[in-house]
Amino acid sequence: MGQVCTTCAGSHPGVPTVSVPAAAAPGMEGGCESLVDLKDDFLGLSSRWTARSSVPDEYDMAKQYDAATAASSSSMLGQDSLKVVQRPVIVDADEYHMKQLPLSGDMCIFDINLHDGVAARQNVERYYAMCKEKLGLHVTTSCFTTWRKSKKTNGHAKVIPVHPADTEAVRVFFFDDNLEWGGHEESSGICNLRDSSTGEFVNFAEGENGFKRDRAGRHTVIYHSDHYRTVLVKANILDAMEDIEYFSSIVERFSSPGEKFLIFMDVNSTIVCNDTIQGKDLGTTLLSTMFEFVNLRPREAFDFAFEDSPAIRIEKPDNLKSLVKRLTARSPDAYASFWTEDRCWQLFAALAERGEVTWSGSEDTFDLDDCQTLFKEYLISLGRAISKDGIAPSWFTVFDKLKGEHSVHLNSFGVDTRKVLLATVPDELQALQVTVNYELWDARDVQKFEGQF
């Protein structure tokens, strides 16, 4: 039997009484004044149930609330205007040792300690359990400050929890364009691979813990281990743009029947081409993206000037896109106008005279002819692949195949995840939002993160 709504004195089946002082509008004494009032009544309960993972009575109450809201909206607005108020994803914050951030808006965001002290190691198992249990698409925003202050080493990077293969049939995938293969905790890199049962770092160098090297697409490098059912993928945005089955084929190739998948996915240059977002045409986008994968290893330190740019000092290996940014640092317009074929080929040739040029992930020499040939091939194959928002079609393909049965988590240091989330799922409130060691973030990162909500 329904209880009395304190806003309108009407009966809403299954909705408990909430004391919210409000007067019914004239002419609406027999029903709730508006969907907003009913929503406000119900949201008064949020602190008592949104942070719980599975309480049958309250979950049934939530479903009854949706039905009551639908009935109310139908009577007030007409069937064609039906709009059901969405509920945030339900999670037991205490079970996973998380705390809800006091941010404004409807989004529930939880913070977990994965970096600070003994508790952080214990929380790796809790984070792993939460990630694998929550099906669909969710978001983890990792702690860039900790990584930067620790000289961008694996041991302080994005925490990727894994489990020994003999304990359960869960396959963990991590796709990120910045993966490096030193594999040690103190090595340069972005993968903080942790055994969820112990919290200890898992060395993923080739030959360690069962890790073997493989390849996919044109330029993608993969390290995988059956000891931990783990697949680490140094993703390439060009491969992701070119092949609509790029992510799907890797998941299928490196998994076994009956396994559940827990997939962690970076955003920038993994599933999103940033230069496309900035409004560049295909040729410009392709040149700037390719130059990010072309590396120069100078034979010795030297000063280098190009056209009318001030000279820069080149002392250590770097990619050509980074060098272009340094050369054009005086003006954003200079950088934007740089990306023409003639200018790019001239720069490539000039730098190739001063050091060894290779393609990312390969030790083979990559010369100007190789680069020009690859550029022409990509111009044809990517002609229909790049979307206006820069998201690779292969991302939507893999998520469509995984949703409902497996767990996918966008894992980024920045605020680039929300655009992908909104483009992928119909309701962002159903995505779990987790931050890592929010109290350690610098002020700029906090401001950007909170500003998106």
Side-chain angles (χ1 to χ4, degrees):
M1 180 175 177
Q3 299 186 32
V4 176
C5 174
T6 58
T7 301
C8 64
S11 178
H12 299 296
V15 180
T17 302
V18 184
S19 298
V20 180
M28 304 239 355
E29 291 81 359
C32 199
E33 178 181 55
S34 69
L35 280 178
V36 174
D37 294 327
L38 180 58
K39 178 184 177 183
D40 288 344
D41 276 358
F42 187 75
L43 290 182
L45 297 170
S46 63
S47 62
R48 290 156 50 184
W49 69 267
T50 55
R52 302 186 64 87
S53 59
S54 57
V55 183
D57 291 342
E58 292 181 342
Y59 186 72
D60 290 343
M61 177 197 75
K63 291 191 291 185
Q64 293 168 5
Y65 162 76
D66 285 342
T69 305
S72 176
S73 65
S74 179
S75 62
M76 288 186 291
L77 304 176
Q79 190 65 35
D80 292 340
S81 301
L82 181 64
K83 181 179 181 181
V84 177
V85 177
Q86 299 292 339
R87 291 173 283 107
V89 65
I90 301 172
V91 62
D92 189 334
D94 291 335
E95 178 182 355
Y96 301 116
H97 284 227
M98 300 190 299
K99 60 183 179 181
Q100 186 171 347
L101 295 181
L103 304 182
S104 60
D106 293 333
M107 188 77 67
C108 289
I109 303 172
F110 300 92
D111 187 61
I112 188 169
N113 170 25
L114 295 179
H115 290 298
D116 190 13
V118 176
R121 293 197 173 190
Q122 297 171 341
N123 282 344
V124 172
E125 185 169 17
R126 300 181 180 111
Y127 178 63
Y128 171 78
M130 178 186 64
C131 288
K132 73 174 181 178
E133 289 166 8
K134 293 296 179 183
L135 303 182
L137 183 61
H138 306 282
V139 176
T140 294
T141 306
S142 295
C143 184
F144 179 78
T145 303
T146 296
W147 187 52
R148 175 177 53 80
K149 288 183 176 180
S150 301
K151 298 181 179 179
K152 297 185 177 181
T153 55
N154 283 321
H156 299 86
K158 298 178 181 180
V159 173
I160 306 299
V162 295
H163 217 65
D166 57 357
T167 58
E168 57 183 355
V170 177
R171 178 81 58 175
V172 176
F173 290 81
F174 178 38
F175 293 86
D176 197 301
D177 67 299
N178 285 313
L179 275 166
E180 298 181 40
W181 304 120
H184 297 277
E185 187 172 7
E186 66 277 7
S187 299
S188 173
I190 204 165
C191 180
N192 192 356
L193 199 68
R194 295 279 168 178
D195 185 322
S196 61
S197 61
T198 64
E200 295 292 332
F201 184 86
V202 177
N203 188 334
F204 57 89
E206 186 174 7
E208 298 288 341
N209 291 303
F211 276 95
K212 302 176 183 178
R213 181 185 175 96
D214 215 317
R215 299 187 67 88
R218 294 181 189 241
H219 310 293
T220 299
V221 178
I222 300 171
Y223 275 41
H224 59 100
S225 168
D226 285 334
H227 293 187
Y228 276 93
R229 295 186 196 251
T230 299
V231 183
L232 306 178
V233 183
K234 185 177 177 63
N236 183 286
I237 189 61
L238 295 174
D239 285 349
M241 287 288 189
E242 184 178 33
D243 180 6
I244 198 169
E245 297 289 343
Y246 171 68
F247 295 110
S248 301
S249 62
I250 292 174
V251 171
E252 181 177 354
R253 177 182 165 192
F254 290 94
S255 60
S256 300
E259 289 181 333
K260 179 177 179 179
F261 306 147
L262 172 53
I263 296 180
F264 296 95
M265 186 80 69
D266 179 42
V267 175
N268 283 339
S269 294
T270 297
I271 61 176
V272 173
C273 181
N274 275 331
D275 290 327
T276 303
I277 302 170
Q278 295 167 3
K280 297 176 181 176
D281 62 31
L282 178 56
T284 299
T285 296
L286 183 53
L287 285 167
S288 59
T289 303
M290 286 183 62
F291 266 37
E292 189 171 359
F293 297 110
V294 179
N295 297 322
L296 171 70
R297 185 183 294 113
R299 297 187 186 92
E300 59 184 4
F302 64 97
D303 293 320
F304 181 79
F306 185 75
E307 295 183 340
D308 60 348
S309 69
I312 61 172
R313 185 73 172 171
I314 300 177
E315 299 178 309
K316 59 183 180 179
D318 205 348
N319 68 72
L320 267 56
K321 185 173 183 177
S322 175
L323 295 177
V324 170
K325 289 181 178 179
R326 291 177 60 193
L327 288 166
T328 59
R330 70 188 189 282
S331 166
D333 292 337
Y335 176 79
S337 62
F338 178 88
W339 301 105
T340 66
E341 285 189 63
D342 287 344
R343 189 173 285 118
C344 287
W345 305 148
Q346 290 174 22
L347 178 69
F348 189 111
L351 290 172
E353 294 178 354
R354 307 300 298 268
E356 182 183 4
V357 178
T358 60
W359 184 268
S360 179
S362 173
E363 294 300 320
D364 296 335
T365 300
F366 186 72
D367 62 25
L368 182 57
D369 286 341
D370 295 330
C371 193
Q372 291 173 330
T373 298
L374 190 60
F375 174 75
K376 292 175 183 177
E377 291 176 358
Y378 272 130
L379 270 181
I380 296 172
S381 62
L382 298 183
R384 296 181 180 179
I386 296 182
S387 61
K388 64 179 180 179
D389 55 12
I391 302 175
S394 54
W395 156 251
F396 298 108
T397 300
V398 71
F399 182 74
D400 191 56
K401 292 181 178 182
L402 297 174
K403 65 183 180 182
E405 297 183 15
H406 303 281
S407 303
V408 183
H409 291 253
L410 300 176
N411 191 321
S412 175
F413 284 127
V415 296
D416 46 13
T417 55
R418 193 176 185 214
K419 182 191 68 171
V420 175
L421 186 65
L422 292 172
T424 307
V425 297
D427 175 25
E428 67 173 326
L429 293 184
Q430 298 306 300
L432 178 65
Q433 289 270 359
V434 177
T435 59
V436 177
N437 289 89
Y438 193 70
E439 76 283 356
L440 300 179
W441 291 20
D442 64 30
R444 181 182 177 185
D445 290 340
V446 168
Q447 183 179 17
K448 285 185 176 180
F449 181 79
E450 295 185 359
Q452 66 181 326
F453 302 111

